[in-house]
Amino acid sequence: EIMPSLVGSEMCIRDRQYNMRICILTQPLCTNYGGLLQTYALQVVLKRMGHEVWTENRKENSLSLISKFKLFIKRILAPIRGIYYGTDEQNKVISQYTELFIRNYITITDPVTSNTKEVLRRYAFDAYIVGSDQVWRPCYSYYLPNYFLDFTMGDKVKRIAYAASFGTSEWEFTAEQTEQCAALAKSFDAISIREDSGVELCSKYLGVNAVCLLDPTLLLRKEDYVYLVEKEQVTAFDSKLMTYVLDQSEEKQRIIQELSYKLGLTPIVVMPKFAFEKTGPKKISNCIFPPVTKWLRGFMDAEYVVTDSFHGTVFSIIFNKPFIVIANKERGLGRFTSLLRMLGLESRLVYTFDDITDQLIYTSIDYTQVNRILRRERDRALEFLKASLR
């Protein structure tokens, strides 16, 4: 479903002259709120342009017998190691609400479990768009050449990267991956990257030109996300300190407690109470991920946000909230610094508890200037997509 165009001429385009059949390749859709919403946002933008759009329904653990065997061994060793891996049925319970969001709002292909080309050929796609998550980061992408569209070689299709991400400013490809992916990248019609450091990596290691463009979630307006929340009649939060922390630590909890005390706000936590991999099936009812629209409601109602997530940062900005983002080096820092630098918000990034000062906490953000930059960058991104899909 595409919600009504609400504001801004750039989001009211329904130009049927394009009318392409497009496939988006991104990381497998799961319980990752940012991953789901960036795919959703890109689909909405493309559908509003008049295209037919699907997202590849990639099933990562099913792509090889080796993957299946490794998962089997992990499950056997789980009780000994104290790390649990859910069965298909248990994973369905944990992801029941995020799966509902996918069914309701994201158009997906048939499951891709092995032969990507064989499955996707049935749709007769005119164009493939790779992005916008960390699809070009080897540790996150099982078979990297797929994300450089190796399976489309010989086909007459458009090949585009929209805000694809390496996640980091360091080059993590092996020599073999670099050689193979550089050759494939040269077949792309247009390449855009999510971080400015990625533009340099494309030039230096892949030998291709690229531009830096916004994550797709930033192509939609606050009103577009409010529409989803209100449509599902999500109850408002009483607490007003939205916390979205992916990698917990004692120091991050100290930062949250300090902000809670200084601001007089009770933290909101829109995440499962327990992680299944740590508690196992005994507490599975407390491992269920809340609905995507409840997560959005947390940002919508917040008076302040603290996060270590890239998309937590993005939605703080979309909803024009005061925020602090805790550096998350393991998940890739380049995407944080690139976005914050573009918007003049570098001061909102902290590394340790000692960086939390009263000046930082109480200094307001000039969202008039931030929104002005976002409007300009949205226009650039939409022009890129329109030009690439002609």
Side-chain angles (χ1 to χ4, degrees), residues 337-349:
T337 55
S338 179
L339 176 64
L340 295 173
R341 185 165 51 246
M342 174 195 295
L343 300 175
L345 298 174
E346 300 99 315
S347 64
R348 313 309 299 185
L349 180 67

Side-chain angles (χ1 to χ4, degrees), residues 73-92:
I73 296 298
K74 284 178 180 178
R75 284 178 178 154
I76 291 176
L77 297 176
I80 300 170
R81 298 174 61 195
I83 301 174
Y84 296 87
Y85 297 88
T87 63
D88 288 345
E89 288 305 312
Q90 289 165 345
N91 287 332
K92 284 180 182 178

Side-chain angles (χ1 to χ4, degrees), residues 273-286:
K273 187 175 181 180
F274 299 116
F276 182 87
E277 58 267 24
K278 293 182 180 179
T279 63
K282 290 182 180 179
K283 297 183 179 180
I284 194 168
S285 62
N286 290 311

Side-chain angles (χ1 to χ4, degrees), residues 266-277:
T266 305
I268 303 168
V269 181
V270 189
M271 286 288 279
K273 187 175 181 180
F274 299 116
F276 182 87
E277 58 267 24

Side-chain angles (χ1 to χ4, degrees), residues 195-339:
E195 300 85 36
D196 47 17
S197 61
V199 174
E200 298 176 20
L201 295 178
C202 280
S203 175
K204 184 175 181 180
Y205 295 99
L206 300 180
V208 293
N209 295 323
V211 295
C212 182
L213 295 177
L214 292 175
D215 184 88
T217 51
L218 287 160
L219 300 184
L220 298 185
R221 303 296 190 92
K222 173 183 71 175
E223 290 83 358
D224 293 313
Y225 297 110
V226 171
Y227 171 85
L228 293 177
V229 173
E230 292 181 344
K231 178 184 175 185
E232 297 194 359
Q233 300 180 325
V234 182
T235 305
F237 284 98
D238 294 325
S239 304
K240 301 298 183 181
L241 177 61
M242 173 66 175
T243 66
Y244 183 52
V245 177
L246 297 175
D247 300 305
Q248 295 287 346
S249 71
E250 288 185 10
E251 184 154 45
K252 290 176 184 178
Q253 285 306 309
R254 283 184 68 202
I255 291 172
I256 292 170
Q257 290 167 8
E258 179 75 359
L259 287 166
S260 178
Y261 171 74
K262 288 286 179 84
L263 297 167
L265 301 174
T266 305
I268 303 168
V269 181
V270 189
M271 286 288 279
K273 187 175 181 180
F274 299 116
F276 182 87
E277 58 267 24
K278 293 182 180 179
T279 63
K282 290 182 180 179
K283 297 183 179 180
I284 194 168
S285 62
N286 290 311
C287 300
I288 299 169
F289 280 79
V292 175
T293 46
K294 186 173 183 179
W295 185 83
L296 287 170
R297 181 96 219 191
F299 290 93
M300 181 176 159
D301 292 342
E303 291 182 27
Y304 212 101
V305 179
V306 58
T307 186
D308 66 348
S309 152
F310 173 74
H311 281 105
T313 305
V314 165
F315 279 91
S316 301
I317 293 166
I318 288 172
F319 283 97
N320 283 194
K321 303 298 182 177
F323 69 93
I324 287 173
V325 54
I326 307 167
N328 197 332
K329 296 179 182 178
E330 290 75 16
R331 290 180 183 260
L333 199 53
R335 58 212 179 114
F336 292 88
T337 55
S338 179
L339 176 64

Side-chain angles (χ1 to χ4, degrees), residues 155-168:
D155 296 342
K156 190 177 180 181
V157 294
K158 291 273 189 180
R159 300 177 185 86
I160 299 160
Y162 180 78
S165 176
F166 296 100
T168 173

Side-chain angles (χ1 to χ4, degrees), residues 2-279:
I2 308 176
M3 82 289 288
S5 298
L6 296 168
V7 292
S9 59
E10 75 271 28
M11 299 315 311
C12 297
I13 302 167
R14 295 183 180 274
D15 192 340
R16 290 292 172 181
Q17 69 174 307
Y18 298 117
N19 200 29
M20 283 192 175
R21 293 171 66 85
I22 300 172
C23 181
I24 298 169
L25 271 73
T26 191
Q27 293 292 354
L29 303 179
C30 56
T31 54
N32 182 311
Y33 295 116
L36 293 176
L37 285 166
Q38 60 86 20
T39 302
Y40 166 75
L42 187 54
Q43 281 205 0
V44 168
V45 169
L46 293 169
K47 286 177 179 180
R48 286 177 177 175
M49 289 179 177
H51 301 297
E52 297 178 88
V53 192
W54 289 257
T55 293
E56 179 202 29
N57 186 16
R58 177 167 292 236
K59 300 296 184 182
E60 197 81 1
N61 288 331
S62 303
L63 287 176
S64 72
L65 290 174
I66 294 175
S67 296
K68 290 180 179 178
F69 180 72
K70 285 181 178 178
L71 189 59
F72 175 72
I73 296 298
K74 284 178 180 178
R75 284 178 178 154
I76 291 176
L77 297 176
I80 300 170
R81 298 174 61 195
I83 301 174
Y84 296 87
Y85 297 88
T87 63
D88 288 345
E89 288 305 312
Q90 289 165 345
N91 287 332
K92 284 180 182 178
V93 173
I94 293 165
S95 64
Q96 59 185 277
Y97 294 120
T98 50
E99 284 294 325
L100 185 62
F101 182 84
I102 294 169
R103 288 200 300 273
N104 288 343
Y105 297 110
I106 300 175
T107 307
I108 57 176
T109 67
D110 291 336
V112 176
T113 58
S114 56
N115 192 324
T116 305
K117 185 168 186 173
E118 181 182 324
V119 175
L120 299 185
R121 178 179 280 167
R122 305 170 197 160
Y123 293 84
F125 289 120
D126 303 301
Y128 290 86
I129 299 180
V130 177
S132 296
D133 221 336
Q134 296 184 59
V135 289
W136 287 354
R137 193 170 190 185
C139 63
Y140 288 161
S141 297
Y142 167 72
Y143 184 61
L144 198 58
N146 263 193
Y147 287 108
F148 285 86
L149 303 178
D150 62 335
F151 59 92
T152 69
M153 292 301 100
D155 296 342
K156 190 177 180 181
V157 294
K158 291 273 189 180
R159 300 177 185 86
I160 299 160
Y162 180 78
S165 176
F166 296 100
T168 173
S169 57
E170 304 299 321
W171 188 249
E172 297 181 337
F173 289 34
T174 65
E176 182 181 355
Q177 287 172 332
T178 300
E179 181 180 2
Q180 187 174 9
C181 293
L184 292 168
K186 291 178 177 61
S187 71
F188 276 61
D189 295 276
I191 295 176
S192 65
I193 304 294
R194 198 170 63 184
E195 300 85 36
D196 47 17
S197 61
V199 174
E200 298 176 20
L201 295 178
C202 280
S203 175
K204 184 175 181 180
Y205 295 99
L206 300 180
V208 293
N209 295 323
V211 295
C212 182
L213 295 177
L214 292 175
D215 184 88
T217 51
L218 287 160
L219 300 184
L220 298 185
R221 303 296 190 92
K222 173 183 71 175
E223 290 83 358
D224 293 313
Y225 297 110
V226 171
Y227 171 85
L228 293 177
V229 173
E230 292 181 344
K231 178 184 175 185
E232 297 194 359
Q233 300 180 325
V234 182
T235 305
F237 284 98
D238 294 325
S239 304
K240 301 298 183 181
L241 177 61
M242 173 66 175
T243 66
Y244 183 52
V245 177
L246 297 175
D247 300 305
Q248 295 287 346
S249 71
E250 288 185 10
E251 184 154 45
K252 290 176 184 178
Q253 285 306 309
R254 283 184 68 202
I255 291 172
I256 292 170
Q257 290 167 8
E258 179 75 359
L259 287 166
S260 178
Y261 171 74
K262 288 286 179 84
L263 297 167
L265 301 174
T266 305
I268 303 168
V269 181
V270 189
M271 286 288 279
K273 187 175 181 180
F274 299 116
F276 182 87
E277 58 267 24
K278 293 182 180 179
T279 63

